[in-house]
């Protein structure tokens, strides 16, 4: 969905996105709802150079990592296992300490070993430093093919400015076509003024 095209401000977007997650999660046959700022499998990724407290990468080192911002239900909905620490919660807001979750590829790239949770990561500016609170398994991101990139996940509620659009992943225990019919109906009830751009199954996206 592209709510910013409908003149929602940042505070209104936070309320709208919460309502979308909660309302979809309450529908019959829905087992999980995950939201993200960067869609899966569109050959598109955001990221930049990464600095980790206590790690000196040396001159000319490759310090790039991809980044995305996700809702608190994202990992469960996409079946991405938590390996250490914790997942995001609805309490990770703009009023609480800034946190991040990283994947195994990130831990490998920066040689963090088992010493991941509790480290601080950022872009070199202390004002942007975040505590790593969780380690999750590697999962495909921009592309089905190729290696999984080192990836930093940020909580949606702490990074509202990322969301030019909201991508919603609905996991169900009913037929995919049932979910495809339900989602536009529910979205029209929640926010009829917000364009719903794409509705497709994950298999359709992968194909």
């Amino acid at each position: 969905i592209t709510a910013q095209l409908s003149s929602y401000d940042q505070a209104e977007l936070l309320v709208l996105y919460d309502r979308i997650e909660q309302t979809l999660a309450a529908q019959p046959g829905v087992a999980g709802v995950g939201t993200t700022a960067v869609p899966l499998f569109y050959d598109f990724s955001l990221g930049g150079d990464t600095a980790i407290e206590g790690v000196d990468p040396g001159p000319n080192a490759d310090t790039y990592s991809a980044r995305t911002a996700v809702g608190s239900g994202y990992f469960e909905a996409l079946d991405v296992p938590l390996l250490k620490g914790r997942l995001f919660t609805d309490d990770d807001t703009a009023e609480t300490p800034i946190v991040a979750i990283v994947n195994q590829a990130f831990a490998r790239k920066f040689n963090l070993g088992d010493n991941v949770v509790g480290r601080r990561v950022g872009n070199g500016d202390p004002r942007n430093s975040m505590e790593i609170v969780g380690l999750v398994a590697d999962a495909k991101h921009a592309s089905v093919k190729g290696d999984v990139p080192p990836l930093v996940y940020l909580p949606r509620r702490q990074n509202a400015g990322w969301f030019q659009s909201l991508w919603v992943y609905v996991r169900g225990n009913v037929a995919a076509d049932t979910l495809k019919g339900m989602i536009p109906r529910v979205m029209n009830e929640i926010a009829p003024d917000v364009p719903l751009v794409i509705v497709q199954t994950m298999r359709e996206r992968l194909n």
Side-chain angles (χ1 to χ4, degrees):
I1 65 168
T2 52
Q4 286 197 353
L5 297 181
S6 301
S7 301
Y8 284 74
D9 63 26
Q10 293 296 338
E12 291 170 333
L13 285 176
L14 285 172
V15 173
L16 174 64
Y17 292 167
D18 283 351
R19 188 178 177 203
I20 289 171
E21 288 188 6
Q22 293 162 4
T23 305
L24 286 173
Q27 300 304 306
V30 172
V33 176
T35 53
T36 178
V38 180
L40 297 172
F41 311 131
Y42 275 80
D43 291 322
F44 173 75
S45 183
L46 296 173
D49 289 333
T50 301
I52 301 173
E53 187 177 66
V55 175
D56 181 4
N60 302 318
D62 172 17
T63 60
Y64 177 86
S65 66
R67 292 195 179 189
T68 187
V70 302
S72 55
Y74 178 86
F75 299 101
E76 295 97 328
L78 274 295
D79 199 23
V80 179
L82 175 69
L83 304 179
K84 291 181 181 296
R86 69 169 177 89
L87 298 177
F88 298 140
T89 73
D90 293 349
D91 294 328
D92 292 314
T93 67
E95 287 72 44
T96 61
I98 303 173
V99 296
I101 290 172
V102 300
N103 67 352
Q104 291 170 295
F106 182 96
R108 288 193 301 270
K109 179 168 185 173
F110 294 98
N111 298 312
L112 299 181
D114 291 332
N115 188 19
V116 178
V117 175
R119 303 296 286 267
R120 300 197 69 83
V121 60
N123 60 5
D125 185 340
R127 294 172 298 179
N128 298 324
S129 177
M130 304 167 284
E131 181 183 359
I132 298 174
V133 295
L135 172 72
V136 294
D138 286 343
K140 297 291 187 177
H141 181 54
S143 174
V144 177
K145 299 178 181 179
D147 296 334
V148 174
L151 184 56
V152 178
Y153 297 92
L154 311 174
R156 174 176 69 76
R157 291 174 177 81
Q158 290 185 341
N159 296 272
W162 272 66
F163 286 81
Q164 303 301 313
S165 299
L166 181 76
W167 296 81
V168 184
Y169 292 92
V170 180
R171 185 184 186 93
N173 49 28
V174 295
D177 285 345
T178 300
L179 295 177
K180 284 181 69 176
M182 174 273 292
I183 291 169
R185 173 181 57 79
V186 171
M187 284 302 306
N188 186 62
E189 294 172 358
I190 295 172
D193 58 328
V194 176
L196 185 62
V197 180
I198 298 171
V199 181
Q200 63 181 175
T201 67
M202 185 66 81
R203 183 165 298 280
E204 288 170 343
R205 181 68 239 162
L206 291 174
N207 290 340

